[in-house]
C-alpha cells in the first residue's frame, strides 16, 4: 500500500487567509479554455472541503507515484481531523470501503450524470452511514469491508455532510483524497471542473534533464549511457546553459513537478510537449487515469533511476512496452536523431490552470571522439553494467586495450569502443548473444546471464536450483535474465535485476540444497529488510509469486506477534501490535465469546475496539488474538470489571 502523499508534516506551510469569503468568489475562476476538456461541465460540483474558501492541495491528478498515477486531488486539512466532507453533487452512495491500507475509510457517490466522486482517508462516516457500516462489519465479522449499494440506500443532496476527514489507510498526514470518475471508472482531472477554491498562478518547476543514448552507436558528450544535468532558471524559464555534444538517437527525460500557489507540495504536470526545432515530436497529456493500466507508469518513468535514487524522471519518449494513451498528437516516439545539424530542443510544461514553463537546450552535432577527456575515472579494475540492450564493460587501462568475452566454448576478442583517462569502455549488443564471462588482463567476471526473454510470451526457465515462470503479461520489455546462487551464511537466490519492472507476477519455484521445515517461507532481501513473500512447499521445493526481481532467501519466523495493552476499560480497548519478521496477517477480538469489532491502523500499529452500542460499556472476558503470516499466534486475555 503506497502512501497517498509523500510529504513530511514538517513541510506544512501555514496558509494565511488573504481573501475573505464574501469578496473572494468573483476571483475564483478557472481559465475558460480548460472547461471545454471536461466531458460534462454542467456537473457543477461543489468543492467537498470548506467550499467557498481557499484550499491547499498536497497532490494532483496524474502525479507520478512509485507504481501508479495519482487519480485525484489531495486536499489539505491543515493537520486537522474531523473536517466535514460534503457531497459534491446530488446522488447516491454507491460504494463504501474500509481497509487498513489504500484509501482507508472511503465513500463513493454516484451522480445523475454517471460520474462517481470518491472521498478517501476519512476518519469516519456520517452517523446513518456509520451505523449501517458497523452492522455490516458485525454481520461479516470483519473490519475490512467493501459494500456496493443501490440507489435508495443512502441518497444524498449536493452539500450534505457525508463524512469527516481523516488520515486512515495509506495516508501519511491528514487530508482528503478526492477524485471524479467517469462512467467507465476512469479518473478525470478534478481541477478542470472550475473549482475556485484552488488558486494556481504558479508554473511547473524543473530540476533536472537526463539525456540517454537510444542505441549502441549513439553518444552524449562522446559517451554511451544516461547522463543527468541540472537546469538553470532565468526569469521562470529553464535552460541547460551549455550545449550538449550529441550523435545518433537520443532520448530526453525530465525531473520536475507542478507547484500550486502557497504550497510547497510537488504535484503532477499534466501536459508536456517537446519540440525539436519547429517540430513537435512529443506530447504527453495525462487527462485520465485508467486503473487497469496505471502500473504502466513504470514504463513512463526511468525505472532504474526510480529504484536507485527514488527520483521520478518522466521519459519524453514513448519507450518499448509503454501502452499508455497519453501521447495523442506526438509525431514519432519522441526520440531525437542527431546527424550533421545542431538541434535546438524546447520543452513546454503546462499545468491544469494554463501556467507554463519552458526548458531550452541544444544538442550540438558532433562526431564521437575516441578519447574522452571529460570521462570520470573508473574505480574498479573491471566492471559491467546493462543499459537497455547494451552491456557496457569498463576496464582500467592497466589491464590492456582489449578484453575477451566467453560465449560457452567460443571466445571473442573485443577492442575498446572508446577510452577515458584511466579506462577503456567496451559495448556489446546483448540481443546478438549473451557473454558468460568477461576477462581483461588477469581479471575475470562472471555475468550470470541465462537468457534473453522478450515481453509478450510465456517463458519458463528451468535449472536444478530454481524454475521461473513468466506469463504473457509479466514483462513490459525485453529482459536479459541473470540468475545467481550463493550459499555463504544462507542460501541466496538472486533472480533478475531490479532495473526491470514486472507487470504481472512471476511464479518461482526454489529448490534449496539445505533441509528446511515447512515453517520456512520465502523473503525478498533488500539491504537489512526482509519482505515476506510466503510460498507453498511440495517435495522439498517452495513456490511463490513476485512482482519484483531481487535476492530471495528462506527464513523461519519463530516469534509470535506482540500485543501491548495501551488501555482496557469500559469505554475502550486499545493495543499496540507488532511482528518482528513476517508481519501481521490477522487479528480478532471477542468479548464474552462474541466477536468484537477492532479497528486497525497499520501506520501506528494500533488496534482498538469500538463499543457495539455506545451506551453499553465493555464488560466481561476480553480476548484478543493476533496471528502473523507464518502462523504464529499470540492471545491476550483480560476480564473487564
Ligand atoms: Zn490521494
Amino acid at each position: 500500500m503506497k502512501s497517498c502523499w509523500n510529504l513530511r508534516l514538517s513541510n506544512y506551510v501555514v496558509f494565511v487567509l488573504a481573501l475573505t469569503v464574501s469578496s473572494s468568489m468573483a476571483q475564483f475562476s478557472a481559465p475558460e479554455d480548460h472547461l471545454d476538456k471536461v466531458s460534462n461541465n454542467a456537473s457543477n460540483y461543489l468543492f467537498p472541503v470548506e467550499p467557498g474558501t481557499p484550499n491547499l492541495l498536497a497532490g494532483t491528478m496524474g502525479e507520478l507515484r512509485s507504481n501508479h498515477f495519482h487519480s485525484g486531488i489531495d486536499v489539505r486539512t491543515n493537520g486537522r481531523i474531523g473536517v466535514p466532507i460534503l457531497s459534491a453533487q446530488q446522488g447516491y452512495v454507491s460504494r463504501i470501503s474500509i481497509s487498513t491500507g489504500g484509501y482507508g475509510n472511503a465513500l463513493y457517490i454516484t451522480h445523475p450524470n454517471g460520474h462517481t466522486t470518491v472521498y478517501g482517508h476519512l476518519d469516519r462516516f456520517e452517523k446513518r452511514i456509520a451505523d449501517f457500516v458497523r452492522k455490516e462489519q458485525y454481520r461479516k465479522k470483519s473490519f475490512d469491508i467493501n459494500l456496493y449499494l443501490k440507489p435508495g440506500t443512502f441518497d444524498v443532496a449536493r452539500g450534505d455532510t457525508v463524512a469527516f476527514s481523516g488520515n486512515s489507510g495509506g495516508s501519511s498526514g491528514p487530508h482528503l483524497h478526492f477524485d471524479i470518475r467517469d462512467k467507465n471508472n476512469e479518473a478525470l482531472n478534478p481541477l478542470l471542473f472550475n473549482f475556485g477554491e484552488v488558486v494556481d498562478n504558479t508554473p511547473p518547476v524543473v530540476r533536472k534533464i537526463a539525456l540517454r543514448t537510444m542505441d549502441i552507436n549513439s553518444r552524449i558528450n562522446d559517451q554511451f549511457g544516461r547522463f543527468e544535468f541540472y537546469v538553470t532558471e532565468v526569469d521562470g524559464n529553464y535552460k541547460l546553459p551549455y550545449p550538449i555534444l550529441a550523435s545518433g538517437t537520443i532520448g530526453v527525460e525530465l525531473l520536475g513537478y507542478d507547484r500550486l500557489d502557497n504550497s510547497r507540495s510537488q504535484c503532477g504536470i499534466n501536459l508536456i510537449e517537446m519540440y525539436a526545432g519547429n517540430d513537435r515530436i512529443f506530447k504527453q497529456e495525462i487527462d485520465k487515469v485508467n486503473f487497469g493500466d496505471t502500473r504502466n507508469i513504470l514504463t513512463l518513468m526511468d525505472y532504474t533511476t526510480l529504484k536507485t535514487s527514488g527520483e521520478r524522471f518522466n521519459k519524453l519518449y514513448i519507450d518499448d512496452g509503454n501502452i499508455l494513451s497519453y501521447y495523442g498528437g506526438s509525431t514519432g516516439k519522441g526520440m531525437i536523431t542527431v546527424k550533421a545539424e545542431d538541434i535546438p530542443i524546447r520543452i513546454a510544461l503546462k499545468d491544469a490552470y494554463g501556467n507554463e514553463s519552458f526548458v531550452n537546450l541544444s544538442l550540438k552535432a558532433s562526431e564521437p571522439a575516441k578519447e574522452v577527456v571529460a570521462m570520470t575515472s573508473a574505480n574498479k579494475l573491471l566492471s559491467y553494467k546493462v543499459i537497455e540492450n547494451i552491456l557496457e564493460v569498463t576496464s582500467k587501462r592497466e589491464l590492456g586495450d582489449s578484453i575477451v568475452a566467453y560465449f560457452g566454448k567460443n571466445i571473442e576478442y573485443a577492442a575498446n569502443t572508446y577510452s577515458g583517462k584511466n579506462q577503456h569502455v567496451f559495448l556489446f549488443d546483448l540481443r546478438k548473444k549473451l557473454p558468460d564471462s568477461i576477462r581483461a588482463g588477469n581479471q575475470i567476471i562472471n555475468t550470470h546471464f541465462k537468457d534473453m526473454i522478450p515481453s509478450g510470451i510465456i517463458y519458463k526457465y528451468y535449472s536444478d536450483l530454481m524454475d521461473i515462470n513468466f506469463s504473457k503479461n509479466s514483462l513490459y520489455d525485453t529482459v536479459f535474465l541473470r540468475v545467481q546462487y550463493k550459499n555463504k551464511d544462507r542460501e541466496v537466490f538472486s533472480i533478475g535485476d531490479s532495473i526491470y519492472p514486472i507487470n504481472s507476477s512471476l511464479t518461482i519455484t526454489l529448490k534449496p540444497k539445505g533441509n528446511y521445515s515447512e515453517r520456512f517461507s520465502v523473503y525478498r532481501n533488500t539491504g537489512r529488510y526482509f519482505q515476506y513473500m510466503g510460498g507453498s512447499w511440495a517435495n522439498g521445493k517452495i513456490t511463490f509469486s513476485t512482482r519484483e526481481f531481487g535476492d530471495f532467501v528462506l527464513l523461519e519466523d519463530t516469534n509470535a506477534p506482540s500485543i501491548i495493552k495501551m488501555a482496557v476499560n469500559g469505554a475502550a480497548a486499545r493495543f499496540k501490535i507488532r511482528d518482528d519478521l513476517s508481519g501481521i496477517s490477522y487479528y480478532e477480538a471477542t468479548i464474552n465469546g462474541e466477536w468484537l469489532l477492532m479497528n486497525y491502523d497499520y501506520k501506528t500499529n494500533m488496534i482498538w475496539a469500538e463499543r457495539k452500542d455506545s451506551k453499553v460499556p465493555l464488560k466481561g472476558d476480553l480476548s484478543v488474538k493476533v496471528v502473523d503470516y507464518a502462523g504464529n499466534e499470540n492471545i491476550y486475555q483480560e476480564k473487564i470489571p
Side-chain angles (χ1 to χ4, degrees):
M1 292 301 140
K2 298 301 167 209
S3 127
C4 188
W5 86 14
N6 303 305
L7 274 180
R8 284 185 298 266
L9 288 172
S10 60
N11 282 354
Y12 272 103
V13 176
V14 178
F15 181 72
V16 181
L17 200 73
L19 306 167
T20 65
V21 177
S22 55
S23 68
S24 60
M25 290 312 286
Q27 296 171 54
F28 290 159
S29 66
E32 303 222 331
D33 61 320
H34 281 263
L35 291 177
D36 56 0
K37 288 182 184 166
V38 176
S39 57
N40 186 351
N41 66 31
S43 314
N44 187 21
Y45 291 121
L46 184 74
F47 201 71
V49 185
E50 301 181 333
T53 65
N55 272 271
L56 295 183
L57 302 187
T60 58
M61 176 269 188
E63 199 174 307
L64 310 180
R65 299 288 166 92
S66 60
N67 62 6
H68 64 278
F69 295 95
H70 189 233
S71 59
I73 53 174
D74 289 339
V75 185
R76 288 186 160 172
T77 53
N78 282 323
R80 292 168 299 166
I81 281 183
V83 179
I85 300 302
L86 315 182
S87 173
Q89 188 49 276
Q90 79 168 101
Y92 69 96
V93 175
S94 53
R95 183 179 166 195
I96 304 168
S97 74
I98 295 182
S99 60
T100 49
Y103 292 143
N105 300 330
L107 204 62
Y108 297 66
I109 299 176
T110 299
H111 307 290
N113 64 359
H115 288 177
T116 297
T117 49
V118 181
Y119 311 79
H121 306 305
L122 302 167
D123 184 59
R124 58 190 192 276
F125 304 113
E126 168 274 320
K127 188 176 183 307
R128 269 189 326 145
I129 299 172
D131 290 348
F132 173 82
V133 170
R134 185 167 306 159
K135 258 185 207 145
E136 287 298 307
Q137 286 176 310
Y138 268 94
R139 201 168 65 81
K140 297 188 166 156
K141 296 190 173 165
S142 172
F143 168 68
D144 285 47
I145 207 158
N146 192 12
L147 303 167
Y148 290 90
L149 306 177
K150 292 203 167 64
T153 316
F154 294 108
D155 291 343
V156 295
R158 184 173 193 267
D160 277 0
T161 296
V162 289
F164 298 89
S165 72
N167 187 30
S168 60
S171 165
S172 52
H175 74 284
L176 173 75
H177 171 94
F178 175 67
D179 71 50
I180 302 175
R181 301 183 186 179
D182 67 11
K183 284 189 176 78
N184 306 316
N185 195 38
E186 291 189 298
L188 308 172
N189 188 347
L191 295 183
L192 298 182
F193 284 82
N194 207 16
F195 289 121
E197 287 79 358
V198 181
V199 182
D200 184 18
N201 298 298
T202 310
V205 174
V206 180
R207 288 277 174 248
K208 285 190 220 174
I209 291 289
L211 300 173
R212 71 185 308 158
T213 50
M214 300 307 291
D215 62 46
I216 197 165
N217 297 314
S218 303
R219 298 289 181 272
I220 292 159
N221 288 334
D222 298 321
Q223 297 178 62
F224 177 85
R226 180 182 176 280
F227 304 91
E228 294 183 1
F229 305 92
Y230 282 97
V231 295
T232 45
E233 187 189 342
V234 182
D235 299 332
N237 286 313
Y238 300 89
K239 64 175 184 178
L240 289 188
Y242 36 80
I244 308 293
L245 306 183
S247 166
T249 308
I250 308 295
V252 181
E253 301 174 1
L254 179 137
L255 180 69
Y257 49 86
D258 188 35
R259 276 192 49 201
L260 285 87
D261 293 6
N262 304 307
S263 169
R264 279 159 60 191
S265 295
Q266 303 189 356
C267 296
I269 304 167
N270 293 99
L271 179 62
I272 306 178
E273 294 172 297
M274 183 164 68
Y275 295 83
N278 292 320
D279 303 329
R280 184 172 70 184
I281 57 166
F282 177 84
K283 180 187 176 198
Q284 174 186 286
E285 185 168 25
I286 303 177
D287 52 354
K288 279 185 183 185
V289 173
N290 176 307
F291 294 92
D293 62 24
T294 191
R295 189 177 171 85
N296 255 271
I297 195 168
L298 301 179
T299 65
L300 175 147
M301 292 190 286
D302 187 86
Y303 189 73
T304 308
T305 308
L306 177 75
K307 285 287 145 184
T308 47
S309 73
E311 289 185 320
R312 296 166 196 183
F313 277 85
N314 195 316
K315 295 174 187 169
L316 307 187
Y317 54 92
I318 308 168
D319 208 354
D320 294 341
N322 182 346
I323 57 150
L324 293 163
S325 58
Y326 300 145
Y327 304 105
S330 290
T331 51
K333 292 192 156 190
M335 291 156 204
I336 302 155
T337 303
V338 185
K339 290 176 186 160
E341 304 270 305
D342 298 355
I343 301 183
I345 305 290
R346 184 174 171 82
I347 303 164
L349 311 141
K350 206 188 264 191
D351 67 20
Y353 289 79
N355 302 301
E356 263 186 301
S357 24
F358 299 93
V359 187
N360 286 294
L361 60 125
S362 171
L363 297 178
K364 192 171 169 53
S366 157
E367 200 57 40
K370 188 109 178 161
E371 294 289 329
V372 185
V373 186
M375 212 167 145
T376 45
S377 295
N379 296 321
K380 288 183 180 165
L381 276 172
L382 179 63
S383 64
Y384 71 94
K385 189 156 94 173
V386 178
I387 304 169
E388 298 285 314
N389 299 314
I390 309 300
L391 180 73
E392 182 192 68
V393 178
T394 305
S395 75
K396 283 206 177 171
R397 277 184 184 257
E398 60 206 74
L399 299 177
D401 288 349
S402 69
I403 58 170
V404 188
Y406 296 86
F407 303 88
K409 287 174 186 157
N410 299 319
I411 293 176
E412 268 180 34
Y413 290 86
N416 58 322
T417 316
Y418 58 87
S419 306
K421 267 187 295 245
N422 81 337
Q423 77 267 52
H424 296 304
V425 175
F426 308 79
L427 300 178
F428 294 88
D429 189 337
L430 291 172
R431 288 168 301 182
K432 292 182 181 157
K433 48 187 169 176
L434 302 170
D436 311 317
S437 54
I438 302 280
R439 185 169 64 78
N442 59 358
Q443 297 291 309
I444 189 155
I445 42 174
N446 191 333
T447 60
H448 307 286
F449 282 117
K450 299 301 174 193
D451 208 350
M452 174 175 97
I453 307 168
S455 60
I457 63 161
I458 294 169
Y459 178 91
K460 288 176 199 288
Y461 167 83
Y462 291 104
S463 80
D464 52 0
L465 287 163
M466 68 193 90
D467 300 339
I468 311 168
N469 292 278
F470 295 80
S471 78
K472 240 177 155 172
N473 298 319
S474 289
L475 302 178
Y476 295 104
D477 197 1
T478 303
V479 159
F480 301 96
L481 180 68
R482 301 190 322 126
V483 166
Q484 207 182 339
Y485 170 81
K486 286 181 221 148
N487 194 355
K488 214 174 159 192
D489 304 323
R490 62 164 73 98
E491 291 184 83
V492 180
F493 302 82
S494 298
I495 300 173
D497 291 282
S498 50
I499 61 168
Y500 299 116
I502 295 174
N503 186 7
S504 64
S505 295
L506 312 177
T507 309
I508 298 175
T509 300
L510 302 180
K511 307 168 190 175
K513 291 181 179 169
N515 281 319
Y516 298 89
S517 84
E518 298 209 344
R519 289 193 43 82
F520 279 77
S521 301
V522 179
Y523 290 78
R524 184 168 167 273
N525 180 207
T526 44
R528 293 171 66 187
Y529 181 69
F530 293 93
Q531 180 192 3
Y532 176 81
M533 306 300 297
S536 55
W537 287 95
N539 307 318
K541 304 171 195 168
I542 185 165
T543 301
F544 68 101
S545 295
T546 181
R547 241 177 159 183
E548 294 211 58
F549 288 116
D551 292 347
F552 299 94
V553 298
L554 293 162
L555 298 174
E556 184 183 9
D557 183 354
T558 50
N559 298 328
S562 61
I563 305 175
I564 298 162
K565 174 168 105 169
M566 306 303 287
V568 173
N569 53 51
R574 185 177 276 268
F575 302 90
K576 234 177 183 110
I577 59 174
R578 275 186 224 269
D579 189 64
D580 64 340
L581 186 57
S582 61
I584 286 162
S585 92
Y586 175 75
Y587 61 92
E588 188 175 66
T590 58
I591 189 144
N592 302 317
E594 283 193 28
W595 190 81
L596 177 69
L597 174 64
M598 297 292 271
N599 299 269
Y600 180 33
D601 182 46
Y602 76 93
K603 303 187 294 287
T604 52
N605 306 304
M606 296 294 282
I607 57 171
W608 66 98
E610 296 223 327
R611 281 179 289 180
K612 197 172 176 181
D613 182 335
S614 57
K615 291 174 200 104
V616 182
L618 295 169
K619 194 175 180 216
D621 295 320
L622 173 72
S623 173
V624 178
K625 179 163 87 174
V626 182
V627 187
D628 67 20
Y629 281 106
N632 303 302
E633 69 172 54
N634 191 0
I635 293 177
Y636 174 93
Q637 288 177 312
E638 183 174 335
K639 200 174 187 75
I640 309 175

